[in-house]
PDB file of all heavy atoms in Angstrom:
ATOM      1  N   ALA A1087      -5.082  35.440 -43.502  1.00  0.00           N
ATOM      2  CA  ALA A1087      -4.595  36.772 -44.037  1.00  0.00           C
ATOM      3  C   ALA A1087      -3.262  36.547 -44.707  1.00  0.00           C
ATOM      4  O   ALA A1087      -3.043  37.152 -45.751  1.00  0.00           O
ATOM      5  CB  ALA A1087      -4.497  37.786 -42.908  1.00  0.00           C
ATOM      6  N   GLY A1088      -2.407  35.733 -44.094  1.00  0.00           N
ATOM      7  CA  GLY A1088      -1.070  35.403 -44.782  1.00  0.00           C
ATOM      8  C   GLY A1088      -1.234  34.766 -46.124  1.00  0.00           C
ATOM      9  O   GLY A1088      -0.500  35.147 -47.017  1.00  0.00           O
ATOM     10  N   LEU A1089      -2.098  33.857 -46.149  1.00  0.00           N
ATOM     11  CA  LEU A1089      -2.361  33.062 -47.408  1.00  0.00           C
ATOM     12  C   LEU A1089      -2.869  34.052 -48.448  1.00  0.00           C
ATOM     13  O   LEU A1089      -2.408  34.092 -49.613  1.00  0.00           O
ATOM     14  CB  LEU A1089      -3.434  32.066 -47.159  1.00  0.00           C
ATOM     15  CG  LEU A1089      -2.941  30.770 -46.407  1.00  0.00           C
ATOM     16  CD1 LEU A1089      -4.038  29.860 -46.098  1.00  0.00           C
ATOM     17  CD2 LEU A1089      -1.814  30.053 -47.218  1.00  0.00           C
ATOM     18  N   MET A1090      -3.841  34.965 -48.134  1.00  0.00           N
ATOM     19  CA  MET A1090      -4.400  35.930 -49.107  1.00  0.00           C
ATOM     20  C   MET A1090      -3.310  36.876 -49.547  1.00  0.00           C
ATOM     21  O   MET A1090      -3.183  37.140 -50.726  1.00  0.00           O
ATOM     22  CB  MET A1090      -5.520  36.747 -48.522  1.00  0.00           C
ATOM     23  CG  MET A1090      -6.733  35.809 -48.090  1.00  0.00           C
ATOM     24  SD  MET A1090      -8.060  36.706 -47.287  1.00  0.00           S
ATOM     25  CE  MET A1090      -8.423  37.951 -48.545  1.00  0.00           C
ATOM     26  N   LEU A1091      -2.447  37.383 -48.577  1.00  0.00           N
ATOM     27  CA  LEU A1091      -1.391  38.322 -48.929  1.00  0.00           C
ATOM     28  C   LEU A1091      -0.321  37.564 -49.843  1.00  0.00           C
ATOM     29  O   LEU A1091       0.113  38.152 -50.779  1.00  0.00           O
ATOM     30  CB  LEU A1091      -0.736  38.827 -47.720  1.00  0.00           C
ATOM     31  CG  LEU A1091       0.370  39.861 -47.974  1.00  0.00           C
ATOM     32  CD1 LEU A1091      -0.126  41.058 -48.676  1.00  0.00           C
ATOM     33  CD2 LEU A1091       0.996  40.281 -46.574  1.00  0.00           C
ATOM     34  N   SER A1092      -0.010  36.366 -49.532  1.00  0.00           N
ATOM     35  CA  SER A1092       0.975  35.677 -50.224  1.00  0.00           C
ATOM     36  C   SER A1092       0.532  35.312 -51.653  1.00  0.00           C
ATOM     37  O   SER A1092       1.226  35.440 -52.651  1.00  0.00           O
ATOM     38  CB  SER A1092       1.397  34.347 -49.514  1.00  0.00           C
ATOM     39  OG  SER A1092       1.903  34.645 -48.330  1.00  0.00           O
ATOM     40  N   VAL A1093      -0.858  34.971 -51.685  1.00  0.00           N
ATOM     41  CA  VAL A1093      -1.368  34.583 -53.023  1.00  0.00           C
ATOM     42  C   VAL A1093      -1.482  35.863 -53.837  1.00  0.00           C
ATOM     43  O   VAL A1093      -1.105  35.886 -55.084  1.00  0.00           O
ATOM     44  CB  VAL A1093      -2.761  34.024 -52.863  1.00  0.00           C
ATOM     45  CG1 VAL A1093      -3.521  33.966 -54.182  1.00  0.00           C
ATOM     46  CG2 VAL A1093      -2.684  32.751 -52.182  1.00  0.00           C
ATOM     47  N   ALA A1094      -1.768  37.052 -53.220  1.00  0.00           N
ATOM     48  CA  ALA A1094      -1.832  38.302 -53.980  1.00  0.00           C
ATOM     49  C   ALA A1094      -0.497  38.695 -54.492  1.00  0.00           C
ATOM     50  O   ALA A1094      -0.276  39.040 -55.631  1.00  0.00           O
ATOM     51  CB  ALA A1094      -2.394  39.436 -53.065  1.00  0.00           C
ATOM     52  N   ASN A1095       0.590  38.448 -53.626  1.00  0.00           N
ATOM     53  CA  ASN A1095       1.982  38.809 -54.087  1.00  0.00           C
ATOM     54  C   ASN A1095       2.394  37.866 -55.125  1.00  0.00           C
ATOM     55  O   ASN A1095       3.016  38.355 -56.121  1.00  0.00           O
ATOM     56  CB  ASN A1095       2.941  38.659 -52.881  1.00  0.00           C
ATOM     57  CG  ASN A1095       2.750  39.777 -51.895  1.00  0.00           C
ATOM     58  OD1 ASN A1095       2.248  40.838 -52.223  1.00  0.00           O
ATOM     59  ND2 ASN A1095       3.127  39.596 -50.632  1.00  0.00           N
ATOM     60  N   MET A1096       2.045  36.640 -54.995  1.00  0.00           N
ATOM     61  CA  MET A1096       2.432  35.672 -55.970  1.00  0.00           C
ATOM     62  C   MET A1096       1.741  35.983 -57.388  1.00  0.00           C
ATOM     63  O   MET A1096       2.394  35.996 -58.393  1.00  0.00           O
ATOM     64  CB  MET A1096       2.006  34.250 -55.556  1.00  0.00           C
ATOM     65  CG  MET A1096       2.267  33.092 -56.626  1.00  0.00           C
ATOM     66  SD  MET A1096       1.076  33.065 -57.934  1.00  0.00           S
ATOM     67  CE  MET A1096      -0.378  32.744 -57.026  1.00  0.00           C
ATOM     68  N   ALA A1097       0.388  36.361 -57.297  1.00  0.00           N
ATOM     69  CA  ALA A1097      -0.272  36.632 -58.464  1.00  0.00           C
ATOM     70  C   ALA A1097       0.326  37.853 -59.227  1.00  0.00           C
ATOM     71  O   ALA A1097       0.429  37.929 -60.355  1.00  0.00           O
ATOM     72  CB  ALA A1097      -1.743  36.883 -58.175  1.00  0.00           C
ATOM     73  N   LYS A1098       0.725  38.818 -58.396  1.00  0.00           N
ATOM     74  CA  LYS A1098       1.307  40.082 -58.908  1.00  0.00           C
ATOM     75  C   LYS A1098       2.668  39.758 -59.566  1.00  0.00           C
ATOM     76  O   LYS A1098       2.982  40.217 -60.627  1.00  0.00           O
ATOM     77  CB  LYS A1098       1.347  41.199 -57.802  1.00  0.00           C
ATOM     78  CG  LYS A1098       1.888  42.454 -58.342  1.00  0.00           C
ATOM     79  CD  LYS A1098       1.889  43.503 -57.256  1.00  0.00           C
ATOM     80  CE  LYS A1098       2.466  44.871 -57.793  1.00  0.00           C
ATOM     81  NZ  LYS A1098       2.439  45.839 -56.694  1.00  0.00           N
ATOM     82  N   SER A1099       3.513  39.043 -58.736  1.00  0.00           N
ATOM     83  CA  SER A1099       4.829  38.676 -59.232  1.00  0.00           C
ATOM     84  C   SER A1099       4.787  37.821 -60.451  1.00  0.00           C
ATOM     85  O   SER A1099       5.695  37.911 -61.352  1.00  0.00           O
ATOM     86  CB  SER A1099       5.634  38.006 -58.125  1.00  0.00           C
ATOM     87  OG  SER A1099       5.672  38.847 -56.979  1.00  0.00           O
ATOM     88  N   ALA A1100       3.894  36.906 -60.474  1.00  0.00           N
ATOM     89  CA  ALA A1100       3.834  35.919 -61.640  1.00  0.00           C
ATOM     90  C   ALA A1100       2.958  36.511 -62.716  1.00  0.00           C
ATOM     91  O   ALA A1100       2.755  35.882 -63.811  1.00  0.00           O
ATOM     92  CB  ALA A1100       3.262  34.658 -61.166  1.00  0.00           C
ATOM     93  N   GLN A1101       2.496  37.754 -62.512  1.00  0.00           N
ATOM     94  CA  GLN A1101       1.648  38.419 -63.525  1.00  0.00           C
ATOM     95  C   GLN A1101       0.440  37.528 -63.984  1.00  0.00           C
ATOM     96  O   GLN A1101       0.045  37.546 -65.153  1.00  0.00           O
ATOM     97  CB  GLN A1101       2.449  38.752 -64.779  1.00  0.00           C
ATOM     98  CG  GLN A1101       3.610  39.752 -64.493  1.00  0.00           C
ATOM     99  CD  GLN A1101       4.487  40.054 -65.692  1.00  0.00           C
ATOM    100  OE1 GLN A1101       4.250  39.519 -66.832  1.00  0.00           O
ATOM    101  NE2 GLN A1101       5.392  40.993 -65.576  1.00  0.00           N
ATOM    102  N   GLU A1102      -0.062  36.782 -62.945  1.00  0.00           N
ATOM    103  CA  GLU A1102      -1.251  36.038 -63.004  1.00  0.00           C
ATOM    104  C   GLU A1102      -1.239  35.028 -64.165  1.00  0.00           C
ATOM    105  O   GLU A1102      -2.139  34.718 -64.857  1.00  0.00           O
ATOM    106  CB  GLU A1102      -2.487  36.905 -63.131  1.00  0.00           C
ATOM    107  CG  GLU A1102      -2.766  37.795 -61.893  1.00  0.00           C
ATOM    108  CD  GLU A1102      -4.000  38.672 -62.029  1.00  0.00           C
ATOM    109  OE1 GLU A1102      -4.557  38.623 -63.137  1.00  0.00           O
ATOM    110  OE2 GLU A1102      -4.239  39.298 -61.064  1.00  0.00           O
ATOM    111  N   SER A1137      -2.466  29.585 -59.424  1.00  0.00           N
ATOM    112  CA  SER A1137      -2.821  30.169 -58.058  1.00  0.00           C
ATOM    113  C   SER A1137      -3.195  29.119 -57.136  1.00  0.00           C
ATOM    114  O   SER A1137      -2.849  29.225 -55.975  1.00  0.00           O
ATOM    115  CB  SER A1137      -3.850  31.252 -58.311  1.00  0.00           C
ATOM    116  OG  SER A1137      -5.067  30.656 -58.905  1.00  0.00           O
ATOM    117  N   ILE A1140      -0.096  27.279 -55.773  1.00  0.00           N
ATOM    118  CA  ILE A1140       0.763  28.201 -54.934  1.00  0.00           C
ATOM    119  C   ILE A1140       0.157  28.283 -53.549  1.00  0.00           C
ATOM    120  O   ILE A1140       0.770  28.122 -52.534  1.00  0.00           O
ATOM    121  CB  ILE A1140       0.873  29.540 -55.601  1.00  0.00           C
ATOM    122  CG1 ILE A1140       1.673  29.437 -56.853  1.00  0.00           C
ATOM    123  CG2 ILE A1140       1.473  30.511 -54.526  1.00  0.00           C
ATOM    124  CD1 ILE A1140       1.867  30.731 -57.599  1.00  0.00           C
ATOM    125  N   ALA A1141      -1.220  28.429 -53.489  1.00  0.00           N
ATOM    126  CA  ALA A1141      -1.906  28.422 -52.183  1.00  0.00           C
ATOM    127  C   ALA A1141      -1.774  27.151 -51.433  1.00  0.00           C
ATOM    128  O   ALA A1141      -1.508  27.132 -50.136  1.00  0.00           O
ATOM    129  CB  ALA A1141      -3.411  28.753 -52.337  1.00  0.00           C
ATOM    130  N   ILE A1144       1.711  27.023 -49.815  1.00  0.00           N
ATOM    131  CA  ILE A1144       1.893  27.872 -48.692  1.00  0.00           C
ATOM    132  C   ILE A1144       1.288  27.189 -47.527  1.00  0.00           C
ATOM    133  O   ILE A1144       1.769  27.179 -46.408  1.00  0.00           O
ATOM    134  CB  ILE A1144       1.283  29.325 -48.941  1.00  0.00           C
ATOM    135  CG1 ILE A1144       2.059  29.991 -50.038  1.00  0.00           C
ATOM    136  CG2 ILE A1144       1.154  30.101 -47.723  1.00  0.00           C
ATOM    137  CD1 ILE A1144       1.463  31.337 -50.506  1.00  0.00           C
ATOM    138  N   GLU A1157       6.785  33.585 -48.371  1.00  0.00           N
ATOM    139  CA  GLU A1157       6.468  34.342 -49.541  1.00  0.00           C
ATOM    140  C   GLU A1157       6.908  33.578 -50.772  1.00  0.00           C
ATOM    141  O   GLU A1157       7.972  32.990 -50.861  1.00  0.00           O
ATOM    142  CB  GLU A1157       7.267  35.722 -49.495  1.00  0.00           C
ATOM    143  CG  GLU A1157       6.858  36.643 -50.686  1.00  0.00           C
ATOM    144  CD  GLU A1157       7.599  37.967 -50.604  1.00  0.00           C
ATOM    145  OE1 GLU A1157       8.497  38.135 -49.743  1.00  0.00           O
ATOM    146  OE2 GLU A1157       7.251  38.860 -51.350  1.00  0.00           O
ATOM    147  N   VAL A1158       6.036  33.515 -51.761  1.00  0.00           N
ATOM    148  CA  VAL A1158       6.236  32.678 -52.932  1.00  0.00           C
ATOM    149  C   VAL A1158       6.356  33.658 -54.141  1.00  0.00           C
ATOM    150  O   VAL A1158       5.497  34.442 -54.396  1.00  0.00           O
ATOM    151  CB  VAL A1158       5.173  31.690 -53.309  1.00  0.00           C
ATOM    152  CG1 VAL A1158       5.408  30.902 -54.566  1.00  0.00           C
ATOM    153  CG2 VAL A1158       5.112  30.749 -52.060  1.00  0.00           C
ATOM    154  N   LEU A1159       7.466  33.609 -54.965  1.00  0.00           N
ATOM    155  CA  LEU A1159       7.756  34.462 -56.011  1.00  0.00           C
ATOM    156  C   LEU A1159       8.152  33.644 -57.334  1.00  0.00           C
ATOM    157  O   LEU A1159       8.428  32.530 -57.165  1.00  0.00           O
ATOM    158  CB  LEU A1159       8.908  35.470 -55.717  1.00  0.00           C
ATOM    159  CG  LEU A1159       8.633  36.385 -54.421  1.00  0.00           C
ATOM    160  CD1 LEU A1159      10.014  37.077 -54.189  1.00  0.00           C
ATOM    161  CD2 LEU A1159       7.557  37.324 -54.656  1.00  0.00           C
TER     162      LEU A1159
END
Side-chain angles (χ1 to χ4, degrees):
L1089 287 172
M1090 294 175 63
L1091 180 60
S1092 299
V1093 171
N1095 290 337
M1096 177 281 301
K1098 182 177 180 180
S1099 302
Q1101 298 178 352
E1102 299 182 352
S1137 59
I1140 292 175
I1144 293 174
E1157 187 177 6
V1158 178
L1159 302 173

